[in-house]
Amino acid sequence: MLDLCRRRKVLVIIIFFCLFGNLIYWRPSILNRFLQHEPGESQSLPVPGESQSVPVPGESQSVPVKMKNTTVVLVWYWAFGIKQHWQGDVCKDRYGIPNCILSDDRSLFPQADFIVFHNRELIERKERLPEHLPRPPNQAWVWFSRESPAYNGDTGFLAGKFNYTLFYRRDADFFNPFGFLVPRNSTGMTLDNLIPKEKSYLACWVVGNYQPYYERTKLYLKLKQVIPIEWWGAAAHRGLHGDLLLPTMSQCYFYLSFENSIFRDYISEKVWRNAFQSGAVPVVLGPPRKNYEEMLPEGSFIHVNDFKNVAELGAFLKKLAGDKERYASYFKWKLNYTVQTFMGNEHWLVEPFCRICAKQSTLQRPKVYKDLHGWQWT
Ligand SMILES: *[C@@H]1O[C@H](CO)[C@@H](O)[C@H](O)[C@H]1NC(C)=O
Ligand SMILES: *[C@@H]1O[C@H](CO)[C@@H](O)[C@H](O)[C@H]1NC(C)=O
Ligand SMILES: *[C@@H]1O[C@H](CO)[C@@H](O)[C@H](O)[C@H]1NC(C)=O
Ligand SMILES: *[C@@H]1O[C@H](CO)[C@@H](O)[C@H](O)[C@H]1NC(C)=O
């Protein structure tokens, strides 16, 4: 009898939590729906089975209410969970793009003109497309990745789901390169003061993912028989703090901008940031020379395919480092341009989304990626 009583008590407690625990759990969303986009709070639609972010007052961006002439870009979740915070009209304030509402507030789903989905979380099944929600007819879904197809997983299941791509490829709907040139007026500057003075190393390489079978690893192993190469990364048992990357690479004549995989237009931060922004000349392994010429300033890089063999490449680099004038010629473009990248700071997650607003009038409508996977591999 006592036992039964206890059991009944337990049951009542369980039932209580089933009924009201949920209510307590959802309360912030329910409240928010009444409050209607209380500034400084973000909320999520209560989607069963998905984790809820409880709003922290004053922590998140404010959510202006959509007006007729504004565009709402909804970030369904943040890439790699790196949540962005801002105040005010971020697209206008930071990038001069007006009437663009950027938000991660899922309750804006019915009003969203564009919804951005980062590929990684989809292929890892950590996030799902909100296919259970009634999709407004003019709403466009944007597929977002910064990886080459070799690292985008099997995206076959995403066929027919997306309208646009936000990708490093020039033929993407929203071109999202790893870096770009910004014209500048360098009147009075000389080439000499655009090149870092202290050069301690001939060639440098920072490698995050070292696999013996990678093309770039094979080339590195051969090249280091010919010239000294300083390297950093787990495989080298030598770390390099992010803040030290550019100052350290600036001491290198050459930086080995070897891509992890070879795809058209896949010219990564290994060129734009590690080499160009530090002041080292990139030695590139990636798509053909012509592709680099289309995307980089003239005479700014050394392509490994231009050499018959590794010995020739090594000899060329040694000679070039000793020829001050010729070496300097690789920096001529710096007289007219600086490089902008959105790596290593929060901008890379915000600027491309704001740019969706700026580019929307040029989009093909309607558009659907019937074979997203195949498209990536072409
Ligand atoms: C568009 O919105 C802005 C405010 O974001 C407003 O100042 C402007 O008058 C609006 N234009 C039209 C045509 O409604
Ligand atoms: C560049 O700056 C100089 C002054 O620093 C100025 O005289 C010149 O007109 C500028 N040129 C351009 C193209 O803006
Ligand atoms: C840089 O710009 C100047 C004009 O300001 C031009 O004469 C020169 O050819 C340009 N150099 C390069 C490498 O584009
Ligand atoms: C977006 O794609 C869906 C199919 O997934 C399609 O029904 C819709 O018309 C497309 N919208 C636009 C704006 O292209």
Side-chain angles (χ1 to χ4, degrees):
M1 190 64 199
L2 200 94
D3 201 46
L4 206 86
C5 254
R6 208 180 278 152
R7 256 196 244 157
R8 205 182 280 164
K9 229 185 237 168
V10 169
L11 216 81
V12 166
I13 290 170
I14 289 173
I15 290 170
F16 177 85
F17 270 100
C18 284
L19 284 177
F20 300 104
N22 243 350
L23 217 125
I24 293 162
Y25 188 57
W26 295 124
R27 228 178 115 231
S29 324
I30 292 166
L31 255 180
N32 275 346
R33 250 187 279 156
F34 285 111
L35 290 174
Q36 288 251 335
H37 315 316
E38 177 85 341
E41 295 201 352
S42 89
Q43 79 218 66
S44 313
L45 272 189
V47 180
E50 288 201 17
S51 68
Q52 288 282 295
S53 66
V54 177
V56 179
E59 190 208 47
S60 190
Q61 59 276 15
S62 59
V63 179
V65 177
K66 181 177 166 68
M67 283 184 288
K68 263 217 175 87
N69 67 351
T70 57
T71 301
V72 173
V73 177
L74 179 55
V75 179
W76 199 244
Y77 48 86
W78 291 102
F80 309 110
I82 308 172
K83 188 172 164 62
Q84 301 300 303
H85 304 270
W86 60 76
Q87 298 204 315
D89 190 346
V90 64
C91 294
K92 186 157 176 274
D93 298 347
R94 283 198 197 163
Y95 313 109
I97 298 170
N99 304 327
C100 186
I101 297 173
L102 181 61
S103 178
D104 62 2
D105 178 350
R106 289 188 177 185
S107 75
L108 289 179
F109 180 89
Q111 291 144 282
D113 299 290
F114 296 91
I115 305 187
V116 182
F117 301 91
H118 185 246
N119 181 64
R120 170 72 35 196
E121 290 75 13
L122 292 176
I123 58 163
E124 287 179 353
R125 306 298 199 274
K126 284 183 184 150
E127 295 283 353
R128 283 173 297 135
L129 298 173
E131 292 182 280
H132 56 291
L133 298 177
R135 183 163 164 182
N138 289 321
Q139 184 178 86
W141 288 8
V142 180
W143 179 83
F144 169 44
S145 173
R146 300 197 110 198
E147 296 289 351
S148 83
Y151 294 88
N152 280 332
D154 184 353
T155 50
F157 73 107
L158 300 175
K161 311 279 188 210
F162 287 96
N163 304 100
Y164 302 114
T165 50
L166 175 61
F167 201 36
Y168 64 79
R169 236 163 67 179
R170 284 171 297 163
D171 61 348
D173 303 287
F174 305 107
F175 175 42
N176 180 221
F178 287 84
F180 50 92
L181 299 173
V182 182
R184 73 156 161 199
N185 179 358
S186 59
T187 309
M189 268 191 209
T190 66
L191 209 46
D192 210 35
N193 52 39
L194 289 172
I195 303 170
K197 294 256 159 1
E198 257 179 66
K199 294 283 185 191
S200 332
Y201 311 122
L202 183 63
C204 299
W205 193 36
V206 179
V207 59
N209 186 2
Y210 183 88
Q211 301 290 347
Y213 60 88
Y214 276 1
E215 217 39 56
R216 66 180 182 195
T217 308
K218 292 180 198 162
L219 182 56
Y220 160 74
L221 291 172
K222 281 192 216 158
L223 191 58
K224 81 168 184 165
Q225 317 254 305
V226 187
I227 57 164
I229 302 173
E230 294 290 325
W231 71 320
W232 288 262
H237 304 292
R238 191 178 180 196
L240 188 62
H241 190 271
D243 294 343
L244 292 177
L245 177 73
L246 295 187
T248 308
M249 294 313 116
S250 77
Q251 297 171 47
C252 314
Y253 281 94
F254 303 104
Y255 182 82
L256 306 184
S257 300
F258 293 179
E259 302 300 349
N260 60 19
S261 51
I262 295 176
F263 286 91
R264 169 163 57 97
D265 292 353
Y266 187 64
I267 298 173
S268 74
E269 81 287 351
K270 293 168 184 72
V271 171
W272 288 102
R273 181 191 56 186
N274 302 12
F276 282 172
Q277 283 192 321
S278 73
V281 172
V283 177
V284 303
L285 169 71
R289 161 173 276 281
K290 189 170 168 290
N291 199 186
Y292 280 95
E293 284 171 353
E294 288 160 349
M295 298 185 74
L296 303 182
E298 200 190 334
S300 63
F301 64 92
I302 293 157
H303 199 299
V304 301
N305 291 0
D306 291 345
F307 300 88
K308 266 206 232 85
N309 51 50
V310 173
E312 240 182 49
L313 170 62
F316 177 80
L317 297 181
K318 267 195 233 167
K319 199 163 159 228
L320 186 54
D323 184 340
K324 204 162 178 257
E325 212 167 296
R326 189 151 179 223
Y327 181 73
S329 73
Y330 282 82
F331 293 86
K332 263 195 188 142
W333 61 275
K334 287 205 167 195
L335 285 169
N336 294 8
Y337 300 102
T338 57
V339 161
Q340 178 78 66
T341 63
F342 289 120
M343 296 294 304
N345 58 37
E346 83 277 18
H347 292 285
W348 75 273
L349 284 167
V350 173
E351 189 264 3
F353 305 149
C354 292
R355 230 192 276 183
I356 289 175
C357 288
K359 237 212 120 180
Q360 58 177 319
S361 60
T362 67
L363 294 171
Q364 178 194 323
R365 274 175 197 278
K367 183 172 181 178
V368 180
Y369 279 81
K370 292 204 182 88
D371 180 14
L372 181 71
H373 197 73
W375 176 79
Q376 285 181 69
W377 285 85
T378 54

